[in-house]
Amino acid sequence: MFFSSLVSPQWLREHLDDPDLVIADCRFDLADPEAGRRVYEAGHIPGAVYLDLERDLSGPVQEHGGRHPLPDEETLAETMGRAGIDERKKVVAYDDQGEAMAARLWWLLRYMGHDRVAILDGGFSGWVHHGYPVSQEGVTPKLTRFVPRVQSEMKVDMDEVKRHSGLLVDAREPDRYQGIREPIDQKAGHIPGAVNRFWKENLAEGQHWKSPAELKKEWDFLREEEQPILYCGSGVTACANLFALHLAGVKGGRLYPGSWSDWISYPENPIETGERSAAALRPK
């Protein structure tokens, strides 16, 4: 069956019963970590498994590594296997938070060497909007073995961020990036030299992704062979920016998984405030 990185509700409805397809519900609320599981149980796309951002798609929080550190590869492989995902399966991820949580799974699977993964355009609300079926039935995936082929070049650590002479792109809301307010982390501001590209700028109305042409134009502040480092508060919404680059056909973006919450866990790291929009870097 045809498979791309972004699929429509119509496409998913037509392929709902395909045996080689795994649907992953990634809904999650940072302010209420149990809300995702509750809304999943209240109604989900038929056959979808639930993957929790903090229990399944993140590792244990420690002194360093940020609020949502990457799980170790062995643990993540076991999680994917329990979800019924192996090298033969295609995966469609969705959430209802603008696809940021789904983008986290999209990035993690690609990092683990599994690129047959897509995001549902419009998320769960888009599915419901079309009047497609919703289920409350529990799902027990068939246990399988996920064999990782880790793509280590897709991520960087804090030391590499310090050495990086290219562009850093911060995915957070402009007022958090600028240091005007910080409702989550202990310090406000951004990594020195970073520009701001709020991840929701990649979306059109209704949680739909902008077209590849639109995204390519909006990301044209990146120079060829730039290999920018992308980050956010904890390595989640930066994945939405990486997905936007993927849709636009722009290669080379790398994730700083610990992101701002890791950066500020080192007291000696410098902090910058104020505005430096990515739009200002666009060619005139």
Side-chain angles (χ1 to χ4, degrees):
M1 63 179 169
F2 173 75
F3 195 68
S4 65
S5 297
L6 185 67
V7 301
S8 67
Q10 296 93 328
W11 182 95
L12 184 57
R13 179 68 183 91
E14 292 170 3
H15 295 86
L16 204 58
D17 298 323
D18 289 352
D20 63 344
L21 181 68
V22 174
I23 305 169
D25 187 317
C26 301
R27 285 178 287 176
F28 190 85
D29 185 346
L30 290 172
D32 183 0
E34 300 301 321
R37 169 63 71 174
R38 291 198 303 270
V39 294
Y40 170 80
E41 292 175 350
H44 52 264
I45 295 176
V49 298
Y50 182 68
L51 291 174
D52 185 280
L53 172 64
E54 295 186 343
R55 294 189 179 97
D56 301 314
L57 307 182
S58 303
V61 176
Q62 303 180 34
E63 180 183 2
H64 302 299
R67 288 183 279 107
H68 295 110
L70 297 186
D72 68 76
E73 287 91 9
E74 182 178 346
T75 300
L76 183 56
E78 291 175 355
T79 298
M80 295 301 104
R82 288 195 302 272
I85 300 170
D86 58 29
E87 70 276 2
R88 299 167 298 174
K89 298 296 194 300
K90 299 177 178 69
V91 181
V92 172
Y94 72 88
D95 60 40
D96 219 14
Q97 288 74 40
E99 283 86 79
M101 314 303 168
R104 168 76 165 208
L105 177 59
W106 170 84
W107 186 90
L108 282 173
L109 282 171
R110 290 173 64 85
Y111 170 69
M112 295 283 278
H114 187 92
D115 59 4
R116 302 173 80 186
V117 52
I119 290 177
L120 176 63
D121 195 26
F124 183 72
S125 290
W127 177 266
V128 172
H129 176 76
H130 281 81
Y132 293 151
V134 172
S135 174
Q136 294 180 335
E137 292 184 14
V139 176
T140 304
K142 183 178 179 180
L143 184 66
T144 188
R145 182 168 179 259
F146 183 97
V147 180
R149 294 175 285 111
V150 177
Q151 311 296 303
S152 57
E153 72 281 0
M154 290 176 58
K155 70 178 179 71
V156 301
D157 60 17
M158 188 207 65
D159 289 333
E160 191 164 354
V161 173
K162 284 186 169 183
R163 295 191 301 267
H164 185 61
S165 59
L167 198 61
L168 297 170
V169 182
D170 188 315
R172 295 173 298 162
E173 294 171 273
D175 54 354
R176 291 185 65 199
Y177 162 84
Q178 293 172 33
I180 296 171
R181 70 179 187 97
E182 182 46 70
I184 301 175
D185 293 307
Q186 294 183 356
K187 297 179 182 179
H190 58 264
I191 299 173
V195 299
N196 187 212
R197 165 70 181 189
F198 184 33
W199 69 275
K200 286 189 176 181
E201 292 180 36
N202 301 310
L203 299 174
E205 186 177 354
Q207 301 187 72
H208 293 288
W209 292 85
K210 293 178 180 177
S211 71
E214 288 177 286
L215 291 170
K216 188 174 180 64
K217 182 177 181 180
E218 292 180 8
W219 282 89
D220 65 2
F221 60 88
L222 295 179
R223 299 184 297 272
E224 288 189 19
E225 308 302 324
E226 179 80 59
Q227 287 203 315
I229 292 174
L230 283 73
Y231 77 93
C232 54
S234 64
V236 177
T237 59
C239 293
N241 273 352
L242 284 162
F243 184 70
L245 287 178
H246 175 76
L247 291 178
V250 179
K251 300 179 180 180
R254 296 173 292 164
L255 176 67
Y256 172 26
S259 286
W260 179 247
S261 52
D262 176 60
W263 182 264
I264 62 173
S265 70
Y266 297 87
E268 69 274 16
N269 279 350
I271 292 174
E272 192 171 79
T273 57
E275 182 177 7
R276 189 175 181 229
S277 172
L281 301 179
R282 291 191 181 116
K284 302 299 182 183

PDB file of all heavy atoms in Angstrom, residues 228-248:
ATOM      1  N   PRO A 228      21.371  22.361  11.049  1.00  0.00           N
ATOM      2  CA  PRO A 228      21.009  23.070  12.282  1.00  0.00           C
ATOM      3  C   PRO A 228      20.715  22.098  13.417  1.00  0.00           C
ATOM      4  O   PRO A 228      20.364  20.938  13.199  1.00  0.00           O
ATOM      5  CB  PRO A 228      19.739  23.826  11.878  1.00  0.00           C
ATOM      6  CG  PRO A 228      19.117  22.938  10.831  1.00  0.00           C
ATOM      7  CD  PRO A 228      20.288  22.389  10.052  1.00  0.00           C
ATOM      8  N   ILE A 229      20.861  22.608  14.623  1.00  0.00           N
ATOM      9  CA  ILE A 229      20.464  21.866  15.817  1.00  0.00           C
ATOM     10  C   ILE A 229      19.135  22.448  16.280  1.00  0.00           C
ATOM     11  O   ILE A 229      19.005  23.662  16.453  1.00  0.00           O
ATOM     12  CB  ILE A 229      21.529  21.975  16.920  1.00  0.00           C
ATOM     13  CG1 ILE A 229      22.798  21.220  16.488  1.00  0.00           C
ATOM     14  CG2 ILE A 229      20.995  21.420  18.241  1.00  0.00           C
ATOM     15  CD1 ILE A 229      23.961  21.382  17.446  1.00  0.00           C
ATOM     16  N   LEU A 230      18.155  21.575  16.475  1.00  0.00           N
ATOM     17  CA  LEU A 230      16.829  22.013  16.895  1.00  0.00           C
ATOM     18  C   LEU A 230      16.566  21.585  18.330  1.00  0.00           C
ATOM     19  O   LEU A 230      16.912  20.470  18.732  1.00  0.00           O
ATOM     20  CB  LEU A 230      15.755  21.439  15.967  1.00  0.00           C
ATOM     21  CG  LEU A 230      15.613  22.140  14.611  1.00  0.00           C
ATOM     22  CD1 LEU A 230      16.775  21.812  13.684  1.00  0.00           C
ATOM     23  CD2 LEU A 230      14.300  21.773  13.932  1.00  0.00           C
ATOM     24  N   TYR A 231      15.954  22.479  19.088  1.00  0.00           N
ATOM     25  CA  TYR A 231      15.629  22.171  20.474  1.00  0.00           C
ATOM     26  C   TYR A 231      14.356  22.895  20.869  1.00  0.00           C
ATOM     27  O   TYR A 231      13.826  23.733  20.130  1.00  0.00           O
ATOM     28  CB  TYR A 231      16.798  22.544  21.404  1.00  0.00           C
ATOM     29  CG  TYR A 231      16.940  24.020  21.706  1.00  0.00           C
ATOM     30  CD1 TYR A 231      16.346  24.581  22.838  1.00  0.00           C
ATOM     31  CD2 TYR A 231      17.674  24.863  20.881  1.00  0.00           C
ATOM     32  CE1 TYR A 231      16.477  25.927  23.137  1.00  0.00           C
ATOM     33  CE2 TYR A 231      17.825  26.204  21.163  1.00  0.00           C
ATOM     34  CZ  TYR A 231      17.215  26.741  22.288  1.00  0.00           C
ATOM     35  OH  TYR A 231      17.343  28.075  22.588  1.00  0.00           O
ATOM     36  N   CYS A 232      13.849  22.555  22.052  1.00  0.00           N
ATOM     37  CA  CYS A 232      12.654  23.201  22.600  1.00  0.00           C
ATOM     38  C   CYS A 232      12.820  23.223  24.112  1.00  0.00           C
ATOM     39  O   CYS A 232      13.905  23.495  24.618  1.00  0.00           O
ATOM     40  CB  CYS A 232      11.398  22.466  22.151  1.00  0.00           C
ATOM     41  SG  CYS A 232      11.423  20.686  22.514  1.00  0.00           S
ATOM     42  N   GLY A 233      11.754  22.919  24.859  1.00  0.00           N
ATOM     43  CA  GLY A 233      11.876  22.861  26.303  1.00  0.00           C
ATOM     44  C   GLY A 233      12.431  21.537  26.789  1.00  0.00           C
ATOM     45  O   GLY A 233      13.249  21.489  27.710  1.00  0.00           O
ATOM     46  N   SER A 234      11.985  20.430  26.139  1.00  0.00           N
ATOM     47  CA  SER A 234      12.406  19.109  26.625  1.00  0.00           C
ATOM     48  C   SER A 234      12.566  18.088  25.506  1.00  0.00           C
ATOM     49  O   SER A 234      12.525  16.892  25.758  1.00  0.00           O
ATOM     50  CB  SER A 234      11.401  18.590  27.650  1.00  0.00           C
ATOM     51  OG  SER A 234      10.126  18.382  27.048  1.00  0.00           O
ATOM     52  N   GLY A 235      12.721  18.544  24.261  1.00  0.00           N
ATOM     53  CA  GLY A 235      12.956  17.620  23.168  1.00  0.00           C
ATOM     54  C   GLY A 235      11.710  17.028  22.543  1.00  0.00           C
ATOM     55  O   GLY A 235      11.803  16.035  21.823  1.00  0.00           O
ATOM     56  N   VAL A 236      10.535  17.616  22.783  1.00  0.00           N
ATOM     57  CA  VAL A 236       9.292  17.096  22.214  1.00  0.00           C
ATOM     58  C   VAL A 236       8.830  17.948  21.031  1.00  0.00           C
ATOM     59  O   VAL A 236       8.777  17.481  19.899  1.00  0.00           O
ATOM     60  CB  VAL A 236       8.184  16.996  23.285  1.00  0.00           C
ATOM     61  CG1 VAL A 236       6.869  16.520  22.664  1.00  0.00           C
ATOM     62  CG2 VAL A 236       8.607  16.045  24.398  1.00  0.00           C
ATOM     63  N   THR A 237       8.528  19.221  21.278  1.00  0.00           N
ATOM     64  CA  THR A 237       8.002  20.044  20.185  1.00  0.00           C
ATOM     65  C   THR A 237       9.058  20.349  19.123  1.00  0.00           C
ATOM     66  O   THR A 237       8.698  20.673  17.984  1.00  0.00           O
ATOM     67  CB  THR A 237       7.386  21.352  20.713  1.00  0.00           C
ATOM     68  OG1 THR A 237       8.373  22.105  21.434  1.00  0.00           O
ATOM     69  CG2 THR A 237       6.213  21.059  21.634  1.00  0.00           C
ATOM     70  N   ALA A 238      10.335  20.232  19.470  1.00  0.00           N
ATOM     71  CA  ALA A 238      11.378  20.371  18.441  1.00  0.00           C
ATOM     72  C   ALA A 238      11.208  19.297  17.372  1.00  0.00           C
ATOM     73  O   ALA A 238      11.586  19.504  16.209  1.00  0.00           O
ATOM     74  CB  ALA A 238      12.765  20.288  19.075  1.00  0.00           C
ATOM     75  N   CYS A 239      10.637  18.151  17.745  1.00  0.00           N
ATOM     76  CA  CYS A 239      10.386  17.087  16.760  1.00  0.00           C
ATOM     77  C   CYS A 239       9.360  17.535  15.724  1.00  0.00           C
ATOM     78  O   CYS A 239       9.394  17.065  14.575  1.00  0.00           O
ATOM     79  CB  CYS A 239       9.920  15.816  17.463  1.00  0.00           C
ATOM     80  SG  CYS A 239      11.183  15.050  18.505  1.00  0.00           S
ATOM     81  N   ALA A 240       8.440  18.420  16.111  1.00  0.00           N
ATOM     82  CA  ALA A 240       7.481  18.956  15.145  1.00  0.00           C
ATOM     83  C   ALA A 240       8.206  19.821  14.115  1.00  0.00           C
ATOM     84  O   ALA A 240       7.870  19.797  12.928  1.00  0.00           O
ATOM     85  CB  ALA A 240       6.397  19.756  15.857  1.00  0.00           C
ATOM     86  N   ASN A 241       9.203  20.592  14.551  1.00  0.00           N
ATOM     87  CA  ASN A 241      10.009  21.355  13.594  1.00  0.00           C
ATOM     88  C   ASN A 241      10.812  20.423  12.686  1.00  0.00           C
ATOM     89  O   ASN A 241      10.954  20.672  11.490  1.00  0.00           O
ATOM     90  CB  ASN A 241      10.946  22.313  14.330  1.00  0.00           C
ATOM     91  CG  ASN A 241      10.295  23.654  14.630  1.00  0.00           C
ATOM     92  OD1 ASN A 241       9.194  23.943  14.166  1.00  0.00           O
ATOM     93  ND2 ASN A 241      10.967  24.482  15.400  1.00  0.00           N
ATOM     94  N   LEU A 242      11.334  19.352  13.241  1.00  0.00           N
ATOM     95  CA  LEU A 242      12.072  18.389  12.425  1.00  0.00           C
ATOM     96  C   LEU A 242      11.150  17.716  11.413  1.00  0.00           C
ATOM     97  O   LEU A 242      11.555  17.446  10.272  1.00  0.00           O
ATOM     98  CB  LEU A 242      12.741  17.353  13.325  1.00  0.00           C
ATOM     99  CG  LEU A 242      13.992  17.857  14.052  1.00  0.00           C
ATOM    100  CD1 LEU A 242      14.329  16.950  15.233  1.00  0.00           C
ATOM    101  CD2 LEU A 242      15.174  17.954  13.106  1.00  0.00           C
ATOM    102  N   PHE A 243       9.913  17.451  11.814  1.00  0.00           N
ATOM    103  CA  PHE A 243       8.953  16.868  10.877  1.00  0.00           C
ATOM    104  C   PHE A 243       8.633  17.859   9.760  1.00  0.00           C
ATOM    105  O   PHE A 243       8.522  17.475   8.588  1.00  0.00           O
ATOM    106  CB  PHE A 243       7.680  16.454  11.608  1.00  0.00           C
ATOM    107  CG  PHE A 243       6.674  15.746  10.734  1.00  0.00           C
ATOM    108  CD1 PHE A 243       6.926  14.466  10.267  1.00  0.00           C
ATOM    109  CD2 PHE A 243       5.483  16.358  10.390  1.00  0.00           C
ATOM    110  CE1 PHE A 243       6.005  13.804   9.446  1.00  0.00           C
ATOM    111  CE2 PHE A 243       4.549  15.712   9.583  1.00  0.00           C
ATOM    112  CZ  PHE A 243       4.817  14.433   9.104  1.00  0.00           C
ATOM    113  N   ALA A 244       8.500  19.139  10.118  1.00  0.00           N
ATOM    114  CA  ALA A 244       8.248  20.163   9.102  1.00  0.00           C
ATOM    115  C   ALA A 244       9.396  20.232   8.103  1.00  0.00           C
ATOM    116  O   ALA A 244       9.174  20.352   6.889  1.00  0.00           O
ATOM    117  CB  ALA A 244       8.045  21.520   9.772  1.00  0.00           C
ATOM    118  N   LEU A 245      10.624  20.151   8.591  1.00  0.00           N
ATOM    119  CA  LEU A 245      11.776  20.133   7.681  1.00  0.00           C
ATOM    120  C   LEU A 245      11.715  18.917   6.759  1.00  0.00           C
ATOM    121  O   LEU A 245      12.031  19.014   5.573  1.00  0.00           O
ATOM    122  CB  LEU A 245      13.076  20.115   8.489  1.00  0.00           C
ATOM    123  CG  LEU A 245      13.472  21.415   9.188  1.00  0.00           C
ATOM    124  CD1 LEU A 245      14.763  21.207   9.981  1.00  0.00           C
ATOM    125  CD2 LEU A 245      13.656  22.542   8.181  1.00  0.00           C
ATOM    126  N   HIS A 246      11.317  17.787   7.323  1.00  0.00           N
ATOM    127  CA  HIS A 246      11.198  16.569   6.530  1.00  0.00           C
ATOM    128  C   HIS A 246      10.163  16.749   5.427  1.00  0.00           C
ATOM    129  O   HIS A 246      10.415  16.381   4.269  1.00  0.00           O
ATOM    130  CB  HIS A 246      10.812  15.416   7.455  1.00  0.00           C
ATOM    131  CG  HIS A 246      10.547  14.126   6.747  1.00  0.00           C
ATOM    132  ND1 HIS A 246      11.545  13.313   6.253  1.00  0.00           N
ATOM    133  CD2 HIS A 246       9.371  13.510   6.438  1.00  0.00           C
ATOM    134  CE1 HIS A 246      11.021  12.253   5.683  1.00  0.00           C
ATOM    135  NE2 HIS A 246       9.698  12.341   5.776  1.00  0.00           N
ATOM    136  N   LEU A 247       9.002  17.309   5.763  1.00  0.00           N
ATOM    137  CA  LEU A 247       7.980  17.539   4.748  1.00  0.00           C
ATOM    138  C   LEU A 247       8.479  18.488   3.669  1.00  0.00           C
ATOM    139  O   LEU A 247       8.146  18.332   2.490  1.00  0.00           O
ATOM    140  CB  LEU A 247       6.712  18.119   5.394  1.00  0.00           C
ATOM    141  CG  LEU A 247       5.908  17.200   6.311  1.00  0.00           C
ATOM    142  CD1 LEU A 247       4.723  17.958   6.898  1.00  0.00           C
ATOM    143  CD2 LEU A 247       5.432  15.950   5.590  1.00  0.00           C
ATOM    144  N   ALA A 248       9.275  19.473   4.079  1.00  0.00           N
ATOM    145  CA  ALA A 248       9.793  20.471   3.138  1.00  0.00           C
ATOM    146  C   ALA A 248      10.951  19.940   2.307  1.00  0.00           C
ATOM    147  O   ALA A 248      11.421  20.627   1.389  1.00  0.00           O
ATOM    148  CB  ALA A 248      10.230  21.716   3.902  1.00  0.00           C
TER     149      ALA A 248
END
